[in-house]
Amino acid sequence: FVSSNAWGVGDAGDVEINVSKVLVDARGCEQCFFTAISSDTLNEGHAGAVKITGDSLTVVNNGFVSSNAWGVGDAGDVEINVSKVLVDARGCEQCFFTAISSDTLNEGHAGAVKITGDSLTVVNNGFVSSNAWGAGDAGDVEINVNKILLDGQGFLAWITSDTLNETLIGAGHAGVVNITGDNLTALNGGGISSDTSGTGDAGNVTVNVNKILLDGQGFLAWIASDTLNETLIGAGHAGTVSVISDTLT
């Protein structure tokens, strides 16, 4: 792993990589938690930012690029400025961290996730996220990429800023999701969302892409901001969904 993490009260530093070709591959090892490029916080200290610049970034098989908040400290932003980005869990259902993410799983706030490039491919249980699993707020997700493919291939493949704690009073809020590009294809479990499963509010979703294809292929394909808790009193509100496109299929 390449990392600057905060395990105590001190802050982590930034991680900045400027390399033509980057591969993060845990080879499907479910216990290989640190096959990663990361600046996470696991306690009171704040995480740093993670910045990657180059021609290609491949994150596969339980690898991840992250600045996550596991404690009360805040996560940092994750900024990817790479021509070609691939996130592929290769169908591993337990490969939760095959991702580019800034999530919060506790009281700390997540950072923003920004990807700029020519192509972004997320497949086979891979994801790009800034989610809130606890009391901290998620960050915004901003994608500015010409060609985007989200293909779950029977699993899931998604770009998301959700709030996912179903029971916590005062759960964190999701962030907004902004997608800009020329071509977006979501297939067979591929989707874009800012949803709420609990008391936190979802964020707005804006997709400004010239050509959009959504094809569930017998499963699901979506652009959504939903409120998903059917029983909780005081459940969070969904956000607005704005789609601007020449072609939507």
Side-chain angles (χ1 to χ4, degrees):
F1 56 94
V2 177
S3 71
S4 178
N5 297 323
W7 295 82
V9 297
D11 295 340
D14 296 339
V15 175
E16 187 167 347
I17 296 174
N18 191 338
V19 177
S20 178
K21 185 176 182 180
V22 179
L23 170 65
V24 184
D25 184 359
R27 299 185 178 180
C29 176
E30 296 173 17
Q31 289 74 39
C32 297
F33 186 78
F34 286 106
T35 306
I37 299 170
S38 67
S39 182
D40 293 351
T41 171
L42 296 94
N43 207 308
E44 295 181 22
H46 301 301
V50 175
K51 300 178 182 180
I52 300 176
T53 302
D55 293 325
S56 71
L57 170 62
T58 302
V59 183
V60 294
N61 271 334
N62 223 26
F64 62 99
V65 175
S66 73
S67 183
N68 294 326
W70 297 82
V72 297
D74 294 337
D77 295 339
V78 175
E79 186 173 344
I80 310 295
N81 192 346
V82 175
S83 296
K84 184 178 181 181
V85 179
L86 170 66
V87 183
D88 184 359
R90 296 183 177 172
C92 176
E93 296 183 29
Q94 289 75 38
C95 295
F96 185 77
F97 286 104
T98 306
I100 298 171
S101 69
S102 182
D103 291 355
T104 170
L105 295 94
N106 207 308
E107 296 179 22
H109 300 301
V113 175
K114 301 177 183 179
I115 300 177
T116 302
D118 185 60
S119 70
L120 170 63
T121 302
V122 183
V123 294
N124 257 336
N125 234 24
F127 61 99
V128 175
S129 73
S130 183
N131 293 327
W133 297 82
D137 294 336
D140 298 338
V141 176
E142 184 174 338
I143 310 294
N144 190 346
V145 175
N146 288 331
K147 184 177 180 181
I148 302 166
L149 172 63
L150 309 175
D151 187 354
Q153 299 180 8
F155 294 94
L156 293 170
W158 69 107
I159 298 171
T160 176
S161 181
D162 295 343
T163 172
L164 298 165
N165 195 302
E166 298 182 3
T167 59
L168 179 67
I169 302 297
H173 301 297
V176 302
V177 178
N178 290 321
I179 311 290
T180 303
D182 185 60
N183 190 298
L184 167 64
T185 302
L187 307 170
N188 200 10
I192 298 167
S193 70
S194 183
D195 297 333
T196 173
S197 299
T199 59
D201 292 335
N204 298 332
V205 176
T206 301
V207 178
N208 189 344
V209 176
N210 291 332
K211 184 177 181 181
I212 301 172
L213 171 63
L214 306 178
D215 186 354
Q217 298 179 350
F219 188 25
L220 296 170
W222 70 94
I223 300 171
S225 181
D226 297 332
T227 175
L228 302 170
N229 197 303
E230 298 179 4
T231 59
L232 182 67
I233 296 174
H237 302 292
T240 62
V241 177
S242 301
V243 178
I244 303 166
S245 181
D246 293 333
T247 304
L248 173 59
T249 304

